[in-house]
């Protein structure tokens, strides 16, 4: 299943979610990296997605990867070093 969204839709959704959550970012769960969408619709990869938790490897039972593989929306509360 492939979903397609315009850059404007993605930026609007990120802005909306940023009002509700402390951290909002786009993540490529297979590559394990956060990314931004470039002006030419290319991916501009950033740090490892798990680096936000000051970890050096993929989260056990990665929610993003499970959501991608199952095609379902999943939610999980994570706590690491006292951070929610």
């Amino acid at each position: 299943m492939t979903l397609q969204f315009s850059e404007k839709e993605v930026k609007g959704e990120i802005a909306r979610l940023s009002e509700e959550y402390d951290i909002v970012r786009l993540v490529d769960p297979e590559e394990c990296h956060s990314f931004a969408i470039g002006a030419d619709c290319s991916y501009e990869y950033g740090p490892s997605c798990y680096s936000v938790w000051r970890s050096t490897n993929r989260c056990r039972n990665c929610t993003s990867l499970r959501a991608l593989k199952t095609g379902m929306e999943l939610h999980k509360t994570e706590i690491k070093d006292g951070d929610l």
Side-chain angles (χ1 to χ4, degrees):
M1 171 175 57
T2 300
L3 301 176
Q4 295 185 8
F5 299 94
S6 69
E7 182 180 356
K8 183 178 178 180
E9 289 172 316
V10 171
K11 287 183 177 181
E13 188 65 11
I14 289 173
R16 184 187 72 76
L17 291 169
S18 293
E19 294 174 4
E20 189 174 342
Y21 297 100
D22 294 331
I23 301 169
V24 177
R25 54 206 176 119
L26 298 172
V27 171
D28 180 329
E30 290 185 323
E31 296 291 329
C32 280
H33 281 274
S34 59
F35 69 92
I37 300 173
D40 61 353
C41 295
S42 64
Y43 288 3
E44 296 174 4
Y45 282 96
S48 300
C49 59
Y50 46 77
S51 66
V52 72
W53 298 109
R54 295 177 296 283
S55 179
T56 57
N57 51 25
R58 182 192 291 268
C59 302
R60 185 172 36 109
N61 206 11
C62 174
T63 305
S64 297
L65 186 59
R66 284 181 29 233
L68 175 72
K69 298 294 184 186
T70 63
M72 297 173 56
E73 185 175 322
L74 302 172
H75 299 274
K76 175 172 76 173
T77 299
E78 295 179 334
I79 299 173
K80 176 152 175 61
D81 300 333
D83 293 331
L84 180 63

